[in-house]
Amino acid sequence: MQTKINLINSIFVLIMALFFSNEVCAQASSSKGNSYVINGHIPQVEKGKMILQYRVGEKTILDSARIEKGSFFFEGSLQYPAPARLYLKDSRHQYADQNISFYLENSPIQIIAFKDSMSASIVKGSHSNDDNKAIESNMASYFASLRSLRTIRDFAVKQHLDSVLRDIDRIYEEFPAVQRKLIVDYALTHPHSFAITTMLFINFTNNQTQLPLLKRIYDHFSDSVKASVGGQGIAGLIKRMQRVEVGKTAPDFTLPDTSGIPVKLSSFSGKYVLIDFWASWCVPCRAESPFLVKAYRKYHNKNFTIVSVSLDVDMDKQKWLDAIRKDGMVWHNVSSLKGYDEEGVRQLYSVQGIPDNFLINPEGEIIARGLRGNDLSKKLSEVFDE
């Protein structure tokens, strides 16, 4: 039986190799560097439609191709490589296992898609995809170490090994810096890498203290990378981070409270204000609630208040209200109830991930960002008790 399985696997690999080699030969003359040609095969689908999605500047581009006898074809051109997704029409493509994520660029690209596991599909023929694989390989040992650490931590939790847990948590605190160093080192040694911009954007979002380093990396990039979708994303992130640097005046905004009454940030002029970005569905945000409650109770009579900005959506308004009541958030709660589609205040403050917060002094200047856990009480103690 095992011999039969091995034989089937060998035949499959041979078929895939023949497919790719034939497609490369067939398309080498049709793509001369100024267009992309995608030849795809999805064996489990006889007929249907594939959707290609990517961005050009601020525009999201959608294209479609018919699947005939398990094959599909796309052709077009773009100025710079861009992250793209392929998915079957009518699939819930927002989930990673239901779409093929790859880099689209002007070259012959071959794709073998697997209907029931789109994320495991095979993509060849794109230099930026090869670059992305090199980045993943470079990060492999980091993620393997992280998985091992999580396994040890789970064991320690089950066995109630408190001292081990404390040691592991201290190690955990170092991991973001390790990951960032790997990404930074790759970016600085690969100034023509389009693929690294995605990881940079994710890793540096909400890391306000790393702004000088991010600017240094961006300046090191080639002009083509700077002009690409990823490069423009980094440039935009830098601009937004600069707007809310410590020492800058906090941008004013107005949002409705739980009763629909408009609340303006500038109306709290003369107070220390913590602008707290959160959502009822965000587990780490809810874990911060006790620290916020503790800080509010201790300092609200000393010219301190909190304005919590929720990224909940309208259909979950009751969950938002219930979370406020359950967590004891007796301060000012506001929201447009547009979730992450809130492009006003969320983008104004360069908030990509939650929880996040900004501490503002009575003059309206930002004096701290990202105060998690006991760090909030420590900062407020510096402000009020010294």
Side-chain angles (χ1 to χ4, degrees):
M1 179 65 180
Q2 185 62 43
T3 302
K4 184 177 181 180
I5 292 173
N6 290 338
L7 178 60
I8 292 172
N9 289 339
S10 297
I11 292 172
F12 177 79
V13 171
L14 178 60
I15 290 172
M16 294 301 99
L18 288 172
F19 173 84
F20 280 128
S21 62
N22 288 339
E23 289 299 334
V24 169
C25 292
Q27 294 301 326
S29 62
S30 66
S31 179
K32 299 180 179 179
N34 57 4
S35 65
Y36 62 81
V37 176
I38 300 176
N39 278 279
H41 189 58
I42 181 163
Q44 298 163 302
V45 180
E46 185 71 13
K47 285 184 176 293
K49 187 173 286 188
M50 290 293 286
I51 307 297
L52 173 65
Q53 177 182 323
Y54 60 97
R55 289 182 66 84
V56 174
E58 296 298 318
K59 293 183 179 180
T60 297
I61 308 298
L62 290 174
D63 194 5
S64 64
R66 291 186 180 278
I67 301 171
E68 297 288 348
K69 296 182 179 180
S71 296
F72 57 91
F73 176 86
F74 288 93
E75 186 173 19
S77 65
L78 63 169
Q79 191 172 5
Y80 302 105
R85 292 194 296 181
L86 265 177
Y87 55 91
L88 280 166
K89 184 182 180 183
D90 301 325
S91 71
R92 300 178 69 185
H93 61 278
Q94 64 267 37
Y95 296 104
D97 61 342
Q98 294 169 331
N99 67 75
I100 306 171
S101 295
F102 67 106
Y103 273 83
L104 183 64
E105 64 184 1
N106 293 333
S107 67
I109 299 173
Q110 300 79 43
I111 295 177
I112 297 294
F114 306 115
K115 177 186 176 184
D116 297 324
S117 184
M118 296 288 275
S119 61
S121 300
I122 302 170
V123 181
K124 290 192 175 183
S126 164
H127 173 75
S128 290
N129 278 308
D130 293 341
D131 186 33
N132 194 51
K133 289 176 183 177
I135 295 169
E136 291 175 353
S137 177
N138 191 52
M139 302 287 293
S141 59
Y142 165 81
F143 287 114
S145 300
L146 189 59
R147 287 192 295 270
S148 297
L149 192 63
R150 285 171 177 165
T151 300
I152 297 171
R153 193 182 192 285
D154 290 342
F155 176 80
V157 169
K158 291 178 182 178
Q159 299 299 320
H160 304 289
L161 304 174
D162 294 340
S163 62
V164 175
L165 277 173
R166 285 193 292 271
D167 290 339
I168 291 174
D169 287 341
R170 280 195 291 270
I171 297 173
Y172 257 126
E173 292 177 0
E174 302 298 325
F175 263 65
V178 173
Q179 183 187 37
R180 187 175 304 115
K181 185 179 186 308
L182 288 170
I183 295 169
V184 168
D185 288 349
Y186 193 93
L188 290 175
T189 54
H190 295 77
H192 300 286
S193 174
F194 294 91
I196 197 64
T197 58
T198 300
M199 295 198 74
L200 277 171
F201 187 91
I202 294 170
N203 195 269
F204 278 80
T205 293
N206 291 8
N207 280 300
Q208 193 73 34
T209 59
Q210 300 297 322
L211 177 57
L213 178 56
L214 183 59
K215 290 168 64 176
R216 176 187 163 205
I217 295 169
Y218 176 79
D219 291 340
H220 187 67
F221 279 139
S222 66
D223 289 342
S224 57
V225 171
K226 289 179 180 178
S228 70
V229 172
Q232 289 177 28
I234 297 295
L237 178 60
I238 290 172
K239 185 176 180 180
R240 292 191 297 273
M241 290 172 71
Q242 288 175 325
R243 186 168 58 221
V244 288
E245 282 185 282
V246 170
K248 294 288 182 68
T249 299
D252 199 10
F253 64 85
T254 302
L255 283 174
D257 66 10
T258 56
S259 300
I261 299 172
V263 175
K264 194 170 186 177
L265 176 65
S266 56
S267 66
F268 301 102
S269 178
K271 290 180 175 288
Y272 283 94
V273 182
L274 183 75
I275 307 174
D276 164 49
F277 288 88
W278 75 296
S280 65
W281 46 261
C282 171
V283 175
C285 300
R286 302 292 294 275
E288 290 296 312
S289 293
F291 297 100
L292 298 178
V293 170
K294 178 183 176 181
Y296 184 78
R297 286 175 177 172
K298 186 173 182 179
Y299 294 107
H300 81 280
N301 286 330
K302 295 185 178 182
N303 209 31
F304 170 72
T305 192
I306 301 175
V307 177
S308 285
V309 180
S310 170
L311 298 186
D312 280 283
V313 294
D314 187 60
M315 64 182 294
D316 290 333
K317 181 177 180 178
Q318 191 57 50
K319 293 181 181 179
W320 173 45
L321 299 176
D322 291 344
I324 291 171
R325 183 176 63 255
K326 184 176 180 179
D327 290 6
M329 301 169 67
V330 295
W331 47 82
H332 308 278
N333 287 274
V334 298
S335 179
S336 65
L337 293 176
K338 293 180 180 179
Y340 265 88
D341 289 335
E342 166 57 69
E343 295 185 353
V345 178
R346 183 182 67 79
Q347 285 201 349
L348 191 64
Y349 278 80
S350 187
V351 173
Q352 301 296 326
I354 51 177
D356 196 6
N357 59 44
F358 297 80
L359 183 60
I360 301 168
N361 67 15
E363 291 71 45
E365 295 178 348
I366 297 171
I367 59 173
R369 180 179 184 177
L371 297 169
R372 301 282 295 273
N374 288 318
D375 287 343
L376 174 60
S377 291
K378 290 178 182 177
K379 183 64 179 179
L380 291 176
S381 178
E382 291 176 10
V383 170
F384 291 107
D385 297 337
E386 289 188 357

